[in-house]
Amino acid sequence: MTSSPVDKALAFAEQHREQFEADLVELLRIPSISADSKFQAEIRRAADWLLGHLGEIGLQAELIETAGHPIVYAESPAVEGAPVVLVYGHYDVQPPDPLDLWISPPFEPTVRDGNLYARGATDDKGQMLTHVKSVQSWLETEGQLPLQVKFLIEGEEEVGSEHLEVFLKENTEKLACDCVVVSDTSQFARGVPAITYGLRGIAYYELRLTGPNRDLHSGVFGGAVTNPANALSKILAALVDDDGRIQVPGFYEDVIPLTEEERAEFRSLPFDEAAFMKDLDVDGLTGEKGFSTLERRWGRPAMDVNGIWGGYQGEGEKTVLPGKAAAKFSFRLVPGQDPKKITASLRAMLQQRLPPGIKMELIESHGAPGIVFPFDGEYLQAAADAVEQGFGRRPVFIREGGSIPIVSTFAEQLKAEVLLLGWGQNDDNLHSPNEKFSLADFHHGIAASAALWAHLATVSQTK
Ligand code: BES
Ligand code: MN
Ligand code: MN
């Protein structure tokens, strides 16, 4: 009996399940929080861990310094006549707060009910590592891959990928590839794997309002001196009307609308809205009038306040009129919208609505456009076959509402097909307390990835 290279790699992965889980646990123990400068040493530890690991499995690996967090790069040898695949992922994670809501501590990975709980479990250490483990399985059994794989793992995805963007633009030769594989999204539902063909973009801001030069007694001054917290609430509330339409002038001008075909596709997906609400413990949903929940999440813009502060937050009451108030908020964008143009219009609108006695500072942080990929890509069908092999069911094609800022730059600069092969679940609690990754999804992801190299290698070369 001769077995195929994929079978051999799958058998190796099966025999090393526990070792692979242990490796993931090691990486998850490192609190590589990119947003908080106190964790810089931990960021480096995570990068070094990956560097060592990619070298150990037999790849040529290097650490690339940037003006921000380091990039980990590794590659296998070029294979004559076969495609080149760039695998992108991120080793940085979101801050774990609020800490008291975690059942087990965020950086002490713990298995409960077949799920591995830890910050970064699904986003993105666990998903990213599936590709490392499948490459390891191939190299241990076949000694080589059927195509060239280049790993590009960054440490700044959760803060906007600013320095990767620079590196990418300056190194298009080095990163040249036929397709880009990213596992940093979700399946449609449990047992329903998906390939994502569209993501929303983002425009993120911090708005700081300053009123009087000090905190004041709200009885002595209230009603006469403008309270920046009142002003902030009013301004933020005015950004969206009762029909869920964003009020920034010109905001919808460049929006590419959902087509009727696409809306019909979305409707045909087995989305259970009652179960969705039950999971979140909410008794109703809101959003832009005239659109379904999936349309609102995947294909329409949104505004969310991501943090808001000002005034007294401690125990009991304090009758204070605070001197300052601020909020972090963001728009999710859809294809067609330009974050820069939206910022300019937003700034003008805020300035105009500022009440007397209030000064504002608007800080613009990350911005990324939304994207949709064409369906007819050659690598897409090959990937669907691999996902089917790994998960035991053919994937559905979906869009998602999250953003991966560098993805549009990949498409632009590398002229390569981007394959978003998500192994996560919508209830994996990414960015929330008790983030998890199902160990079954981890192993299915490794299997799909092991099959992926063989399937992608069969795509004929036109470049
Ligand atoms: N992996 C997510 C994006 C994602 C999650 C896409 C689920 C689709 C489904 C990524 O790590 C992320 O959180 N991105 C940020 C980008 C931002 C910080 C610039 C986001 O979407 O908020
Ligand atoms: Mn991610
Ligand atoms: Mn994330």
Side-chain angles (χ1 to χ4, degrees):
M1 260 269 300
T2 53
S3 56
S4 73
V6 175
D7 290 338
K8 285 191 259 173
L10 292 176
F12 182 91
E14 191 56 40
Q15 284 151 16
H16 293 80
R17 284 173 76 99
E18 285 180 14
Q19 183 56 51
F20 289 0
E21 291 173 14
D23 291 338
L24 174 56
V25 164
E26 246 183 63
L27 180 58
L28 288 171
R29 282 187 190 285
I30 308 173
S32 45
I33 305 165
S34 52
D36 187 340
S37 55
K38 286 195 293 297
F39 290 85
Q40 255 188 40
E42 302 293 343
I43 276 278
R44 192 153 288 273
R45 260 211 315 139
D48 283 338
W49 186 92
L50 268 172
L51 177 75
H53 203 76
L54 290 164
E56 264 166 42
I57 68 167
L59 300 177
Q60 193 69 42
E62 59 180 303
L63 197 70
I64 296 163
E65 298 296 340
T66 71
H69 302 323
I71 296 165
V72 182
Y73 178 81
E75 60 179 37
S76 62
V79 178
E80 184 67 31
V84 179
V85 182
L86 182 76
V87 178
Y88 164 79
H90 63 94
Y91 66 80
D92 65 321
V93 301
Q94 287 272 326
D97 350 23
L99 282 173
D100 55 320
L101 296 183
W102 285 77
I103 294 166
S104 48
F107 299 105
E108 291 174 27
T110 306
V111 178
R112 287 191 297 277
D113 296 332
N115 295 306
L116 182 56
Y117 285 84
R119 172 57 89 231
T122 188
D123 186 10
D124 175 43
K125 289 172 175 171
Q127 294 201 55
M128 175 267 289
L129 210 66
T130 59
H131 298 296
V132 178
K133 293 291 128 189
S134 84
V135 164
Q136 181 183 353
S137 302
W138 267 84
L139 294 178
E140 293 276 357
T141 51
E142 270 300 286
Q144 60 184 36
L145 292 162
L147 39 61
Q148 185 178 30
V149 173
K150 299 175 172 178
F151 280 102
L152 181 69
I153 321 276
E154 70 153 322
E156 295 188 341
E157 195 276 344
E158 299 291 8
V159 290
S161 301
E162 188 188 329
H163 299 102
L164 179 64
E165 175 109 24
V166 176
F167 175 77
L168 181 60
K169 289 184 172 154
E170 290 171 355
N171 291 274
T172 50
E173 275 302 287
K174 183 184 178 87
L175 303 176
C177 59
D178 299 282
C179 72
V180 181
V181 168
V182 183
S183 290
D184 193 23
T185 51
S186 300
Q187 300 179 56
F188 179 70
R190 226 161 288 284
V192 191
I195 293 184
T196 297
Y197 68 90
L199 291 173
R200 287 196 291 188
I202 189 166
Y204 198 108
Y205 308 96
E206 181 169 323
L207 176 62
R208 298 180 184 166
L209 298 189
T210 305
N213 60 7
R214 58 188 184 274
D215 284 6
L216 302 173
H217 188 295
S218 67
V220 178
F221 296 92
V225 175
T226 317
N227 179 329
N230 290 26
L232 182 67
S233 323
K234 203 165 163 181
I235 284 178
L236 291 175
L239 288 176
V240 188
D241 75 4
D242 289 344
D243 289 338
R245 299 273 299 179
I246 291 155
Q247 299 299 297
V248 175
F251 188 87
Y252 292 91
E253 236 162 51
D254 304 319
V255 164
I256 300 174
L258 289 160
T259 62
E260 270 321 308
E261 292 77 40
E262 210 172 12
R263 299 183 80 176
E265 282 290 329
F266 287 8
R267 274 194 296 275
S268 75
L269 290 168
F271 180 61
D272 183 344
E273 190 151 301
F276 177 78
M277 295 198 327
K278 190 161 183 290
D279 174 53
L280 303 177
D281 264 323
V282 294
D283 61 6
L285 298 167
T286 55
E288 189 180 0
K289 205 172 156 186
F291 294 93
S292 72
T293 297
L294 287 185
E295 289 166 353
R296 289 168 174 172
R297 289 169 61 204
W298 296 349
R300 297 297 300 174
M303 191 288 279
D304 279 284
V305 175
N306 304 111
I308 184 163
W309 63 97
Y312 184 64
Q313 324 263 324
E315 191 180 337
E317 302 75 32
K318 182 181 183 195
T319 47
V320 65
L321 190 165
K324 290 176 191 299
K328 292 182 194 280
F329 68 97
S330 53
F331 298 116
R332 290 291 165 171
L333 309 177
V334 297
Q337 292 182 291
D338 172 7
K340 288 267 169 293
K341 191 170 156 187
I342 282 164
T343 301
S345 179
L346 171 73
R347 193 179 291 282
M349 174 190 181
L350 295 176
Q351 205 71 59
Q352 201 194 355
R353 286 177 169 263
L354 220 55
I358 300 287
K359 293 191 230 14
M360 78 164 213
E361 186 188 358
L362 181 71
I363 301 160
E364 178 189 12
S365 39
H366 28 254
I371 33 155
V372 277
F373 298 118
F375 257 78
D376 51 7
E378 304 173 83
Y379 292 98
L380 200 73
Q381 288 310 315
D385 293 338
V387 173
E388 181 170 4
Q389 197 172 338
F391 284 82
R393 180 166 166 175
R394 194 128 191 108
V396 292
F397 290 92
I398 62 171
R399 283 170 68 165
E400 286 193 89
S403 314
I404 305 175
I406 202 67
V407 158
S408 62
T409 320
F410 281 142
E412 241 168 65
Q413 297 282 322
L414 303 177
K415 315 254 178 302
E417 226 183 290
V418 180
L419 305 171
L420 302 173
L421 313 178
W423 315 143
Q425 300 290 347
N426 284 299
D427 63 1
D428 273 347
N429 297 324
L430 44 165
H431 298 201
S432 307
N434 306 308
E435 178 176 347
K436 64 180 164 68
F437 190 32
S438 142
L439 288 171
D441 287 334
F442 178 57
H443 295 295
H444 288 146
I446 295 170
S449 173
L452 184 66
W453 314 133
H455 285 282
L456 295 179
T458 65
V459 176
S460 69
Q461 292 306 282
T462 46
K463 273 195 186 176

